Amino acid sequence: MTIDREDVKHALSAIRIPDGRDLIGADMVRALVIDGGDVRFVIEAPSVEIARVMEPMRAAAEAAVAALPGVARVQAVLTAEQAPPALKIGGHPKPQAGPTAVPGVRRVLAIASGKGGVGKSTVSSNLAVALARQGRRVGLLDADIHGPSQPRMMGLSKRPASPDGKTIHPLQAHGVTVMSIGLMLAEDKAVIWRGPMLMGALQQMLGQVVWTHHTGGQDLDVLIVDLPPGTGDVQLTLCSKTHVDGAIVVSTPQDVALLDARKALDMFTTLKTPVLGLIENMSTFHCPNCGFEAHIFGHGGVRAEAGKLGLPFLGALPIDLDTRLGGDAGTPVAAGEGRMADAYARIARDLVAAGRA
């Protein structure tokens, strides 16, 4: 009698682990092999400590499979993940002949601003989530190494794995594959590095991260790179060492912000990186009590600048309490419903329709 793999998995799904999940639901069964009447599999515990208390579950799993029709012998091996080798982030970059593609990524899209405080990281995280909700395979690289905020905004705190001490396995949140230097350090730990260390870290996070999609190992459609503010080492390294398909510049509407946004635009022109468009953030404020609309930072300045330069204007995003609350809580507003989710969805749809993401 032929033993069906699904029957084996169904039997194993009846075995509960201490946190209430089952062996299959917790993705702890590995290397399931059916050879005639013999069934062999591995139960991989998340740590050595947990493995020490799982022997009764291993025995129960063997017994559950042994009770299936046609099974003559069962062997279940209990193992545990080992602590990954230490992986050092930073250091001088390795020599590189010229711009290279990011392995596992089809397009690289940089999100930039001329100055800090304009909401560039908020736009990056929400745009990544909005693109994922459009069915795209999306990665998000937090390249703001001195001020990484994506771990908090995406609700991540676990350290990425490095099984071999060379490659880095990024984390996933809200359908997006995420990597940030902030995931490798304590949240309140300052990164006090000069330019070469920054460039080395960026090179590692681009080239040593396994960016392929977490559900099937397919290439990502787009990698969103959240750049630091300004026109410094990280921007220069990214655009000169990596094939960047385009950049989006985020600015608030007032003249002071636009002065710096123009510098960012000039930088991309100098580095021969196409600018795909501009986004006006904090464009207006709608009072939730009376409905009054206030233009705290002015209004329409970014749209006018895009028109003057002949660049696409991708959208105007208001000041919004839910956006701030979502970012602080680790659930970007684009992951939910409402006017802000719709606004990011429109930008994402336009980028997909234009073949940019």
Side-chain angles (χ1 to χ4, degrees):
M1 179 177 181
T2 303
I3 303 167
D4 189 89
R5 289 179 65 88
E6 293 305 313
D7 290 339
V8 174
K9 292 170 71 174
H10 180 72
L12 292 174
S13 69
I15 309 301
R16 298 288 169 177
I17 60 176
D19 66 4
R21 294 180 296 168
D22 63 82
L23 288 175
I24 297 298
D27 193 28
M28 296 174 69
V29 176
R30 301 281 186 270
L32 174 58
V33 176
I34 300 173
D35 183 10
D38 294 348
V39 179
R40 300 185 296 275
F41 57 91
V42 173
I43 300 174
E44 184 178 75
S47 69
V48 174
E49 292 73 18
I50 293 176
R52 290 193 183 108
V53 300
M54 285 192 63
E55 174 54 29
M57 278 146 275
R58 186 204 66 79
E62 275 193 350
V65 176
L68 293 174
V71 175
R73 185 172 59 179
V74 182
Q75 182 182 27
V77 177
L78 182 61
T79 185
E81 293 182 356
Q82 300 298 313
L87 176 68
K88 182 180 178 182
I89 292 288
H92 287 250
K94 296 178 181 178
Q96 191 174 310
T100 61
V102 179
V105 174
R106 293 178 180 175
R107 300 179 190 86
V108 175
L109 179 58
I111 311 293
S113 66
K115 69 192 301 294
V118 301
K120 167 190 52 60
S121 293
T122 298
V123 170
S124 297
S125 59
N126 279 284
L127 183 56
V129 171
L131 285 167
R133 294 187 75 181
Q134 295 290 319
R136 312 306 285 167
R137 295 185 293 271
V138 184
L140 175 60
L141 171 59
D142 188 353
D144 192 348
I145 294 171
H146 280 142
S149 54
Q150 294 301 345
R152 170 64 66 91
M153 290 184 169
M154 296 295 284
L156 294 169
S157 58
K158 183 180 176 182
R159 184 183 174 92
S162 178
D164 57 3
K166 297 177 182 178
T167 57
I168 306 167
H169 290 207
L171 304 184
Q172 285 79 41
H174 312 293
V176 178
T177 300
V178 183
M179 181 60 197
S180 170
I181 193 71
L183 296 169
M184 312 296 286
L185 305 168
E187 190 174 45
D188 57 354
K189 181 71 173 176
V191 179
I192 310 171
W193 289 348
R194 295 186 185 275
M197 293 281 282
L198 298 178
M199 292 183 281
L202 180 62
Q203 189 182 57
Q204 283 181 279
M205 290 195 294
L206 286 166
Q208 290 181 234
V209 169
V210 182
W211 282 115
T212 49
H213 196 251
H214 55 281
T215 56
Q218 298 167 294
D219 286 357
L220 297 181
D221 293 309
V222 60
L223 174 64
I224 301 289
V225 181
D226 177 19
L227 289 170
T231 56
D233 288 324
V234 171
Q235 290 86 342
L236 178 60
T237 299
L238 177 70
C239 294
S240 61
K241 300 296 185 182
T242 303
H243 287 301
V244 179
D245 295 88
I248 292 173
V249 174
V250 179
S251 178
T252 47
Q254 78 269 36
D255 290 343
V256 171
L258 285 168
L259 283 172
D260 292 322
R262 293 183 188 110
K263 294 180 177 68
L265 292 165
D266 181 66
M267 172 191 69
F268 288 123
T269 299
T270 302
L271 296 173
K272 296 181 172 54
T273 299
V275 176
L276 305 183
L278 282 72
I279 291 176
E280 181 169 287
N281 198 27
M282 307 183 201
S283 179
T284 187
F285 172 71
H286 295 272
C287 176
N289 295 320
C290 68
F292 177 74
E293 181 178 354
H295 300 151
I296 297 173
F297 297 108
H299 181 70
V302 178
R303 181 190 291 272
E305 189 70 18
K308 185 167 66 176
L309 298 173
L311 294 170
F313 178 68
L314 300 178
L317 301 167
I319 299 174
D320 178 72
L321 178 60
D322 288 339
T323 301
R324 194 273 294 174
L325 293 174
D328 285 348
T331 303
V333 70
E337 305 297 333
R339 62 170 187 157
M340 292 305 298
D342 291 343
Y344 280 107
R346 282 193 296 272
I347 296 173
R349 281 196 299 268
D350 288 347
L351 289 171
V352 172
R356 302 298 194 180

